[in-house]
Each structure stands twice: as structure tokens, then as C-alpha cells.
Amino acid sequence: GYDLSEAALGKHFHTMIKYNPDYVIGYSTAILAFCKSNASKKGLVDKCAIRSVICTAGALNTDERIEISRFFGAEVLMEYGAAECGTMAYTTETLGNYKIFWDTHIFEPIDDNIDYKKNIVTTISNRYFPLIRYDICDYIETIDDNPYPVEVKNIVGRPSEFLDFQNGAKIY
């Protein structure tokens, strides 16, 4: 997940072909780099029986999800979580909405003067250190104006991906 050199990605490709896994799980950026680096070998991937690719630790846009799905010939599922909150949501299909684990996490989308809402999280599971209205520093795209949704359209990402201007404008 950390060595994204051509040599490492090529080695991992041959390992994948050798073991013919049912599932591929990895960091979103690593899986995307893996697909781009090994694009010329896609014919070998078609012989695998990969059922699903699970991307975690970073949001992917629609085009990136489709690129990964086409490369592996499988659906792409997204995991949403954080070290301090654990796993909070999954998608159920390549371009599906994120289904929130509503029995362990409460999402509270807050307006922040941009097209997306800031995600404030409360953990409601049996934890040693529960989080109450914790600013996870992610932006989400909501489906409706439900103050406590059980599903969101997209996880957009961290505010560091935004440029803030003196006039108050924000650009993603």
C-alpha cells in the first residue's frame, strides 16, 4: 500500500495472478495506481475470478471507480472509516450510496458555505472513549436534508482538498 513504484506494482500484479483471489482490498490510491501501472496486462486479469474490489482510506470519484471496475471486471465497493471512529459505512455497488452503520455511528451533516456538508460524527457503540459530535474533517454529499441520514451520496474528502480565499469563496 505504500510502495507505488512500477516495480512493486508489477510484482504485486504477478502475485495477484498467481493466487487468483476472490476479492481485492486496499487503499484507494494504491488500487488506482495498481490499475494504471498494469493497464497493459488487463487481459490476464480477465482470467481471474475477482468478485469484488473494496477500496478504503480515501475517496474516489466516479471515473476512478469505473476505471477500477473495468480493470478488474468486478464491482467496486467503498469503505468509509477512520482510525478514531472505526468503519462507519460501505457502498453496496460500484456507484452506490454509502450506507451508514446507523446502529454504531450518527452522521450530522453541517453546512459549511460550500456545495458539500461537513461530517460531524457521534459514536454510539460500546467504546472506551466515545466520540460526541466529533469533526472528522471530511465533507460529504448528502441525498436530502435529513439532519441524521442513514445513507449519503458520496464521501468527498478532507478540507485540505479545498482552497480558501479571502473573500470567503472555497474551491474544491
Side-chain angles (χ1 to χ4, degrees), residues 98-137:
Y98 285 79
K99 313 285 191 224
I100 300 165
F101 299 156
W102 56 267
D103 58 343
T104 56
H105 296 85
I106 297 172
F107 283 21
E108 184 180 353
I110 304 293
D111 284 321
D112 199 24
N113 298 323
I114 55 174
D115 292 339
Y116 308 107
K117 295 184 179 186
K118 187 178 279 194
N119 188 19
I120 305 299
V121 177
T122 297
T123 56
I124 55 175
S125 59
N126 187 12
R127 299 170 58 99
Y128 290 110
F129 188 77
L131 300 171
I132 300 170
R133 300 200 74 239
Y134 177 70
D135 184 353
I136 191 108
C137 297

Side-chain angles (χ1 to χ4, degrees), residues 3-25:
D3 184 355
L4 301 180
S5 67
E6 292 288 324
L9 293 171
K11 179 182 171 191
H12 296 311
F13 180 86
H14 291 294
T15 301
M16 180 189 75
I17 297 300
K18 177 181 175 185
Y19 288 101
N20 190 20
D22 290 329
Y23 301 93
V24 174
I25 302 170

Side-chain angles (χ1 to χ4, degrees), residues 3-158:
D3 184 355
L4 301 180
S5 67
E6 292 288 324
L9 293 171
K11 179 182 171 191
H12 296 311
F13 180 86
H14 291 294
T15 301
M16 180 189 75
I17 297 300
K18 177 181 175 185
Y19 288 101
N20 190 20
D22 290 329
Y23 301 93
V24 174
I25 302 170
Y27 295 143
S28 299
T29 54
I31 290 177
L32 188 59
F34 180 87
C35 295
K36 291 180 182 302
S37 178
N38 294 295
S40 64
K41 304 173 201 164
K42 187 191 176 331
L44 294 172
V45 178
D46 292 341
K47 296 175 184 174
C48 291
I50 296 170
R51 296 167 51 189
S52 183
V53 178
I54 301 171
C55 296
T56 186
L60 293 170
N61 66 40
T62 300
D63 292 338
E64 292 167 333
R65 288 193 209 180
I66 291 170
E67 180 179 353
I68 292 169
S69 179
R70 285 184 181 151
F71 179 83
F72 286 103
E75 67 180 347
V76 175
L77 305 177
M78 299 295 297
E79 175 190 86
Y80 177 52
E84 58 272 54
C85 296
T87 303
M88 298 180 282
Y90 272 105
T91 62
T92 56
E93 60 222 21
T94 298
L95 296 178
N97 296 333
Y98 285 79
K99 313 285 191 224
I100 300 165
F101 299 156
W102 56 267
D103 58 343
T104 56
H105 296 85
I106 297 172
F107 283 21
E108 184 180 353
I110 304 293
D111 284 321
D112 199 24
N113 298 323
I114 55 174
D115 292 339
Y116 308 107
K117 295 184 179 186
K118 187 178 279 194
N119 188 19
I120 305 299
V121 177
T122 297
T123 56
I124 55 175
S125 59
N126 187 12
R127 299 170 58 99
Y128 290 110
F129 188 77
L131 300 171
I132 300 170
R133 300 200 74 239
Y134 177 70
D135 184 353
I136 191 108
C137 297
D138 279 334
Y139 284 88
I140 59 177
E141 186 176 358
T142 57
I143 297 168
D144 53 34
D145 288 329
N146 185 341
Y148 304 105
V150 295
E151 187 174 333
V152 295
K153 185 173 184 177
N154 196 19
I155 307 298
V156 179
R158 300 282 167 136

